[in-house]
Amino acid sequence: MEQLTTTLQTVEDPGTSPQERDSAIRTAQALSSALDVIGGSGTPPALRGQLTGVVKHVTATLNAANHSGTPPEQRHAATLVAERSASLLGMIGDSRTPAGLRASLIRMANNSNSAVTHDSMPGSHHGHAGTKVAEAMSVSFLFLSDPNTPDHERKELADATDEVGSSLQNQDDQDASNEKSDRMEKKQQEAFSAQDLPDAPLPEAAEVCTNAVFDSVPDDTLSSNLKSVVPKRWDTEGVNDFWKSNERGNDSLDVFVQLQNDKPDDSELKIEHLIPKLADSLPASRLFTLGPPGLRCLRAALQLDRDFGVTSDSWAKMAVRMAKGKE
């Protein structure tokens, strides 16, 4: 707990982006819940030790993310891996989780975080290859921790992701590692397609979708594609960080950014203008990389297409196909 408190104090550094700060706080909340299970009198000693190990790995990744010498891209990836691996803690600590699945989840979380912290060490000669693999693995964590993921898809995805994590430790040859990563990505896509489109109202779907896109798509890509729908002052000053959005009525979102002059700003954007531009930033074939929130993107696109005649290119086409396939 002391190490976690120190990490959160570091997150308050003015140089930490609002997006990364929010992510670190959400991660800390998940870790806090795990600490409650660790301290519970009914928790078996073996599980207590396993949870403690995962918490230490996640906290070490947060510390690496907030090290003053960590490049922004590596810092963002580390924060993302920490948050997503922390989402597994609830399932790991759940007594109903099958022992085999629990063991896989623990290995995945530990291997992915170890790769990130290793890449973040001063003088590391491995570049950020391990971090990139860990970030790809973390997409699986979103599906594995989602209660709506069917059991069959969860098991197959867990097996495929566990193999990728093990390859990080075993230093498999490159061809074998690529083959395992390809299999994992295929299982992620299957887990995405196996779920129904959520029954969510447009503002809610748009908010969840927008926040997930902001978290995963590079800010320079967003700046380019959103240029025609954001305030001119953002384009003039330049956006350093597309941060988050909140519902604002039935047809708008309040979008928050950090400008390149380090000042925060927000503006009301129409959903019918925003969603099609987000679709330009991430093709439908890659929506699975957002995890379950990607399904909210399809729901928003479907509602805009059916109710307002506003098309979101590949998102709308995929949404129509998925909706028909479930009817």
Side-chain angles (χ1 to χ4, degrees):
M1 176 60 82
E2 182 179 349
Q3 188 180 18
L4 181 57
T5 300
T6 301
T7 299
L8 288 177
Q9 290 173 343
T10 304
V11 167
E12 292 303 316
D13 187 314
T16 302
S17 74
Q19 187 182 70
E20 291 164 0
R21 185 177 296 114
D22 275 1
S23 178
I25 290 172
R26 290 192 297 268
T27 304
Q29 290 171 340
L31 294 179
S32 178
S33 297
L35 291 174
D36 289 340
V37 176
I38 291 171
S41 58
T43 303
L47 178 57
R48 182 178 291 114
Q50 291 166 337
L51 284 170
T52 299
V54 175
V55 168
K56 287 181 177 179
H57 274 90
V58 174
T59 304
T61 300
L62 284 177
N63 287 336
N66 290 289
H67 188 274
S68 59
T70 304
E73 183 179 348
Q74 174 74 359
R75 184 168 61 246
H76 174 72
T79 305
L80 201 63
V81 170
E83 179 180 356
R84 290 176 173 179
S85 54
S87 72
L88 299 176
L89 286 165
M91 185 174 292
I92 293 172
D94 191 332
S95 61
R96 296 167 295 182
T97 300
L101 177 58
R102 177 182 290 111
S104 292
L105 297 175
I106 292 168
R107 283 193 299 270
M108 284 181 241
N110 290 344
N111 286 337
S112 60
N113 283 280
S114 291
V116 174
T117 53
H118 185 270
D119 281 359
S120 301
M121 291 175 60
S124 173
H125 300 293
H126 297 280
H128 297 156
T131 297
K132 291 179 180 177
V133 174
E135 189 172 357
M137 288 175 60
S138 74
V139 174
S140 296
F141 303 165
L142 297 173
F143 290 110
L144 293 170
S145 60
D146 182 12
N148 294 317
T149 300
D151 289 342
H152 178 69
E153 275 70 23
R154 178 178 285 109
K155 182 182 184 306
E156 291 196 347
L157 179 57
D159 290 343
T161 307
D162 194 8
E163 285 189 359
V164 172
S166 296
S167 71
L168 282 170
Q169 301 301 312
N170 298 333
Q171 296 183 337
D172 287 356
D173 67 80
Q174 193 61 48
D175 288 341
S177 296
N178 290 341
E179 183 178 338
K180 291 176 180 178
S181 293
D182 289 345
R183 178 172 178 265
M184 177 183 71
E185 184 171 295
K186 179 182 177 182
K187 294 304 176 183
Q188 291 170 346
Q189 292 173 321
E190 290 176 358
F192 182 82
S193 300
Q195 293 197 23
D196 295 330
L197 293 185
D199 185 17
L202 179 59
E204 176 189 323
E207 177 188 316
V208 173
C209 168
T210 299
N211 291 342
V213 173
F214 284 179
D215 212 28
S216 299
V217 175
D219 289 298
D220 55 351
T221 299
L222 293 171
S223 292
S224 176
N225 289 329
L226 298 181
K227 186 175 182 178
S228 63
V229 299
V230 301
K232 289 189 179 300
R233 65 181 182 276
W234 292 6
D235 186 43
T236 300
E237 181 61 42
V239 176
N240 183 54
D241 184 18
F242 283 90
W243 179 9
K244 65 179 180 180
S245 69
N246 291 327
E247 293 181 39
R248 187 166 179 175
N250 294 324
D251 62 355
S252 301
L253 297 180
D254 199 12
V255 175
F256 296 81
V257 300
Q258 183 186 38
L259 299 175
Q260 290 186 2
N261 61 8
D262 290 332
K263 292 183 179 179
D265 200 3
D266 67 284
S267 180
E268 180 180 358
L269 301 183
K270 293 292 186 181
I271 293 172
E272 64 181 278
H273 298 154
L274 177 62
I275 294 299
K277 294 301 180 181
L278 293 180
D280 291 340
S281 303
L282 186 69
S285 61
R286 302 298 297 173
L287 275 175
F288 74 91
T289 62
L290 304 182
L295 295 163
R296 297 296 199 283
C297 295
L298 293 180
R299 169 55 67 186
L302 184 64
Q303 289 181 255
L304 287 174
D305 184 62
R306 288 182 172 178
D307 298 342
F308 301 96
V310 175
T311 183
S312 301
D313 195 34
S314 63
W315 287 14
K317 294 174 183 177
M318 177 178 280
V320 170
R321 287 198 304 270
M322 287 185 67
K324 287 183 177 179
K326 302 294 183 180
E327 290 175 353

